[in-house]
Amino acid sequence: MSITNTPTSNDACLSIVHSLMCHRQGGESESFAKRAIESLVKKLKEKKDELDSLITAITTNGAHPSKCVTIQRTLDGRLQVAGRKGFPHVVYARLWRWPDLHKNELKHVKYCQYAFDLKCDSVCVNPYHYERVVSPGIDLSTLTLSNSGPLIVKDEFEYENQQSHASSESHLQTIQHPPSRPVPQDTFSSPPLLPPSEGSTSASSSAFSTISAGPSRPVTNEIAFQPPISNHPAPEYWCSIAYFEMDVQVGETFKVPSTCPIVTVDGYVDPSGGDRFCLGQLSNVHRTENIERARLHIGKGVQLECKGEGDVWVRCLSDHAVFVQSYYLDREAGRAPGDAVHKIYPSAYIKVFDLRQCHRQMQQQAATAQAAAAAQAAAVAGNIPGPGSVGGIAPAISLSAAAGIGVDDLRRLCILRMSFVKGWGPDYPRQSIKETPCWIEIHLHRALQLLDEVLHTMPIADPQPLD
């Protein structure tokens, strides 16, 4: 180590980790912090200039300019340390700058070339390449840093206006999205398949961590400058909605024309269709008393709004919460896809689907599945290169999960599920949405169109003869 006691990239990992540990902010346990720092230093050992930039940034508290400090972006964008997953730039910003940081409070500085939001193959984790941005609608004096464990929602028919004290790394499965500051009603007049107005971005677009409704991202109108993902004409219907009671579909699937960017799904009885899907008119000879009772509480239901090329927002108009399965919200909350149920309270207005994110994810998963299948075939044939290669079935086992990704797995990326009144998951007696009394499944047609294009561009391996 140098005479000044500040290490350089030429020093041993242990010395560098010890020095960087001295600058942590104390929001995480010492053992977690050490594991996270050790992991980062080892990844940077072959990139000495970036490791030196990290050391300079941390030991000077950002007083001196520093370069990007990058690690490889994972498939789901998250970093796993000590059995916990989180977005890498957030993990290290918490360690060295803001221990109470919520992930949606970060905005990268202009000169950062590999910021997380830029979606590059590498991600910059230099804490001094990010700024903390808090929504004007959030009163900082009310924030709490205590962690009292998962918030269990006991009564689904009551709106409990309370704060969630669970950190983003806890085992909370039902993530709550209470209403935020009012959204102007004129946002409902946007034409179909056009960019959203700036005023439509709501602080309720993500709610997790130490407060019930998390801060919003800085409002931008970047979608207006983005070209369409595909030149394929927009579908005639932007979504189709199927209604279920328990595990049985009731009535016909309701298709929403692209000329109706806003559709209401409610519990009333108007059969005329158009921009309203009224569930009250649907009959089911197998309907139980519990289902009938739950249907009475659907009321005004929800509004689904298609924005831009295919993003989807939900407004809860009912007097009771709705529960949503959304891979977009999972990712925003730092969860694995399908790992959480999102409780959306009355009056909340929230984004539940991002078309570009979905398109990137389907491309990545399709490519991963194809590469894994090829590698698995090579492993079985004994053609895997490298020292100690033995061939046979054993090396292929680790690849089987990725190779097993099929069309149905990719199709799930294009589907939203929503339960009225009753929730499911670890916080409720129902473990699956198919055990809830009344729910809908929404198929997003533009996303399915893009998936079809992705599948068509994938080369098909020679079929194996059947025995």
Side-chain angles (χ1 to χ4, degrees), residues 25-102:
Q25 295 300 304
E28 298 284 1
S29 68
E30 184 175 350
S31 61
F32 177 84
K34 187 175 182 181
R35 292 277 292 276
I37 295 171
E38 282 177 345
S39 172
L40 180 57
V41 171
K42 288 177 181 177
K43 289 174 182 174
L44 297 175
K45 253 308 185 179
E46 300 303 317
K47 299 188 286 186
K48 293 186 179 294
D49 57 334
E50 293 189 23
L51 182 52
D52 282 326
S53 287
L54 175 69
I55 295 169
T56 298
I58 301 306
T59 57
T60 65
N61 294 325
H64 298 296
S66 53
K67 301 177 182 178
C68 285
V69 177
T70 62
I71 61 174
Q72 187 71 26
R73 181 186 290 271
T74 60
L75 185 62
D76 68 354
R78 297 182 300 158
L79 174 74
Q80 181 160 331
V81 178
R84 291 162 49 183
K85 277 196 169 187
F87 292 104
H89 62 311
V90 178
V91 169
Y92 293 108
R94 282 177 181 158
L95 274 181
W96 284 310
R97 296 195 71 182
W98 306 288
D100 59 332
L101 178 73
H102 183 279

Side-chain angles (χ1 to χ4, degrees), residues 100 102 104-105 137-139 142-146 148-153 159-168 172 174-181 202-216 329 332-333 341-345 348-350:
D100 59 332
H102 183 279
N104 281 351
E105 294 176 341
I138 300 296
D139 181 3
T142 65
L143 298 186
T144 174
L145 302 184
S146 63
S148 58
L151 175 63
I152 304 299
V153 185
Y159 169 41
E160 299 172 346
N161 187 17
Q162 54 186 332
Q163 291 183 333
S164 166
H165 301 291
S167 75
S168 62
L172 177 64
T174 303
I175 301 171
Q176 303 193 38
H177 303 265
S180 61
R181 62 179 182 270
S202 163
S204 65
S205 62
S206 181
F208 197 61
S209 194
T210 56
I211 52 177
S212 295
S216 64
L329 289 179
E332 289 296 289
V341 179
H342 301 268
K343 183 175 184 178
I344 302 179
Y345 284 100
Y349 180 61
I350 184 170

Side-chain angles (χ1 to χ4, degrees), residues 30 41 47 50 66 77 86 92 146 155 158 179 196 205 216 250 263 303 325 341 357 420 435 451 455:
E30 184 175 350
V41 171
K47 299 188 286 186
E50 293 189 23
S66 53
Y92 293 108
S146 63
D155 190 344
E158 292 180 3
S205 62
S216 64
V250 178
V263 61
Q303 271 186 337
Q325 184 181 71
V341 179
Q357 183 191 92
F420 295 95
E435 298 174 31
L451 175 58
L455 294 174

